[in-house]
Amino acid sequence: LPRLLKLRKDKLRADPLSFFQEHSKQLPFARSLSPLRAIIGANRSGKSEMGVVEDCRFAEGRHPWRSVPACSKGWVISVDYQTQRDALQPKFMKFISKSRIAYKTMRERDVWDRIILTCGRCMQAPRRQGDRRDPGTETWWCVACNLPCSIITFKSVDQGEEKFQAVDLDWAHFDEEPPKRIFNEVRARLVDRGGPLWMTFTPVKGASWTLDEIYDAAEKATDIPVTAKDGTRATAKAIEVFHMTMYDNPYLKRENVEKFEKGLGDQTEIDIRVYGKYCVFSGLIFIQWD
């Protein structure tokens, strides 16, 4: 038994993705073949974790339900770099295979700029090619296979719209709601390769543009042709939305969630943060005034 436990621990350290099990509300998102998917959910519901797992699956070139390339270039987009450092990076370190990380470049202290993975075919570390000053020409290639390797680039909404131009991508992930213009710019980056985009956010901005163009649009979305994992043709919704509440997370104690809900007091805050609902803000602007 001790030997088996050690083998399991070693396997978990080497390949954490293979141990991940979606909870019941994450599973439909993971299985969806839609090119645009969104988890619109409560705080602590498991939405960001599911988004990061998708990032790692695409970057490592292995997905249980989708056909993905052996190597890819993708963006993970946060509100700002502090959020990336505190909320997303620990999740990446939990799920990405450490042996697949060839290089990490830093944007500032403790904030990742990019993760460059080893070759998905021979596992060798790649070499840089192209002009490092021009992200559009710089690539990382495996010398043995003479093929490119996966790159995860971390972006921040507060960089501004200009920093989201002139690159073609295989996939992208928004963690939290972006401004509409940045969303459109990122979608343009995916046109060349027909890559998918997924979003994981709590609707803290109220009835924003995502209500009409993501949430409501999913209700009217038509079926489109897609490629299944086995290479056959299938159909999927052009947009799919998945909803999760704080109570849907099986790893949270129900009594703790109930205590948090009661402590919020304001019904709008409860609807957004506990149940992940869109709300129209109303009432006093300065709540400290009577």
Side-chain angles (χ1 to χ4, degrees), residues 107-253:
R107 186 166 297 275
E108 56 186 67
R109 182 178 176 83
D110 299 327
V111 176
W112 299 346
D113 179 35
R114 288 182 302 173
I115 296 176
I116 297 94
L117 274 64
T118 59
C119 177
R121 297 153 292 265
C122 68
M123 302 302 163
Q124 290 194 30
R127 291 184 182 175
R128 190 201 309 260
Q129 294 187 5
D131 185 352
R132 69 182 64 188
R133 295 166 299 181
D134 183 356
T137 64
E138 183 191 19
T139 56
W140 291 80
W141 284 72
C142 173
V143 176
C145 296
N146 195 31
L147 290 169
C149 294
S150 289
I151 302 173
I152 305 172
T153 300
F154 295 88
K155 307 286 284 185
S156 167
V157 165
D158 63 3
Q159 285 181 285
E161 184 183 342
E162 297 79 12
K163 299 296 183 181
F164 290 85
Q165 298 173 353
V167 176
D168 56 313
L169 300 173
D170 294 289
W171 57 268
H173 168 207
F174 280 105
D175 187 62
E176 299 307 340
E177 282 184 272
K180 176 70 186 308
R181 291 183 65 84
I182 288 180
F183 174 81
N184 286 341
E185 196 63 58
V186 172
R187 291 200 78 180
R189 304 301 112 228
L190 297 164
V191 169
D192 285 3
R193 305 182 189 183
L197 183 151
W198 50 96
M199 308 172 74
T200 52
F201 65 90
T202 300
V204 294
K205 297 179 182 178
S208 68
W209 67 270
T210 60
L211 175 60
D212 294 326
E213 300 191 32
I214 303 294
Y215 187 82
D216 287 343
E219 300 263 339
K220 309 166 190 171
T222 57
D223 289 336
I224 59 171
V226 294
T227 303
K229 184 175 174 62
D230 61 3
T232 59
R233 300 298 287 172
T235 59
K237 294 291 184 184
I239 305 174
E240 273 200 272
V241 167
F242 305 87
H243 185 255
M244 297 195 302
T245 74
M246 197 176 280
Y247 288 101
D248 291 325
N249 189 338
Y251 304 106
L252 296 179
K253 291 184 178 179

Side-chain angles (χ1 to χ4, degrees), residues 75-126:
W75 281 355
V76 180
I77 305 145
S78 305
V79 174
D80 53 48
Y81 286 125
Q82 287 68 40
T83 303
Q84 171 197 313
R85 180 194 62 202
D86 298 338
L88 291 185
Q89 289 179 195
K91 291 180 173 62
F92 272 95
M93 291 309 297
K94 179 180 177 182
F95 292 114
I96 200 164
S97 300
K98 311 302 184 296
S99 61
R100 292 296 310 277
I101 300 176
Y103 308 103
K104 262 191 293 193
T105 62
M106 311 299 285
R107 186 166 297 275
E108 56 186 67
R109 182 178 176 83
D110 299 327
V111 176
W112 299 346
D113 179 35
R114 288 182 302 173
I115 296 176
I116 297 94
L117 274 64
T118 59
C119 177
R121 297 153 292 265
C122 68
M123 302 302 163
Q124 290 194 30

